[in-house]
Amino acid sequence: EVQLLESGGGLVQPGGSLRLSCAASGFTFSNYAMNWVRQAPGKGLEWVSGFRSSSGIIDYVDSVKGRFTISRDNSKSTLYLQMNSLRAEDTAIYYCAKVYGTSGAIFDYWGQGTLVTVSS
Amino acid sequence: DIQMTQSPSTLSASVGDRVTITCRASQSISSWLAWYQQGPGKAPKLLIYKASTLQSGVPSRFSGSGSGTEFTLTISSLQPDDFATYYCQQYNSYPLTFGGGTKVEIK
């Protein structure tokens, strides 16, 4: 059974940093692209960052470029999101999501999410 | 960036009703469109991809259609588990973008 378990969320002051982790199990992690999607409280879904299936190229939404860094450790089956210079507008539930096959960019499994709150 | 616009934002319906949700893209995305369902406090669930392909395990009362810039998600006979929020997502180009969501409420 595929499982994705996020951790690392919490309360942080504006300008601070957090590192999110997503521990994966139930599939061969190294074979799949992984992404981060967030959801501000009461709002819709926003794609944040991810690896492209075919090329391994990394993409970011413009609002986090230069502040967030996605990475992965295939030996630990873990996805990361390093978030620096956090802003109030980064407050959201952060989901890690597994890409479906070689589709490139649709998500067949999601974690339960980890809440990041940026506030003084 | 490709903007995705869903309508309506909220829909009130009864069990057994036929429900249709529309998603429009700001430019052509061919058939590179997915639909997700999100229940309260839950992670999204993939329903349909490539505009009309049903994900494995998804009930056949869900169907998708469209291409280019206009797409629809139809639920042929609404069931109690279907009261949720639905999102479309384009994957024609980066950044990936979602529609604003359609909440299906009990009438």
Side-chain angles (χ1 to χ4, degrees), chain B residues 60-74:
Chain B
S60 59
R61 63 181 180 272
F62 291 93
S63 64
S65 65
S67 66
T69 62
E70 189 148 337
F71 303 86
T72 59
L73 171 70
T74 300

Side-chain angles (χ1 to χ4, degrees), chain A residues 39 95 100 104-107 110-111, chain B residues 36 38 43-44 49 87 89 91:
Chain A
Q39 187 169 35
Y95 296 99
Y100 176 52
I106 57 174
F107 312 118
W110 299 62
Chain B
Y36 298 86
Q38 186 178 34
Y49 61 95
Y87 294 93
Q89 179 223 326
Y91 54 110

Side-chain angles (χ1 to χ4, degrees), chain B residues 4 10 13 23 40-41 50 54 59 64 92 94 97:
Chain B
M4 306 301 293
T10 306
C23 177
K50 211 170 179 185
L54 204 63
N92 179 77
Y94 285 80
T97 47

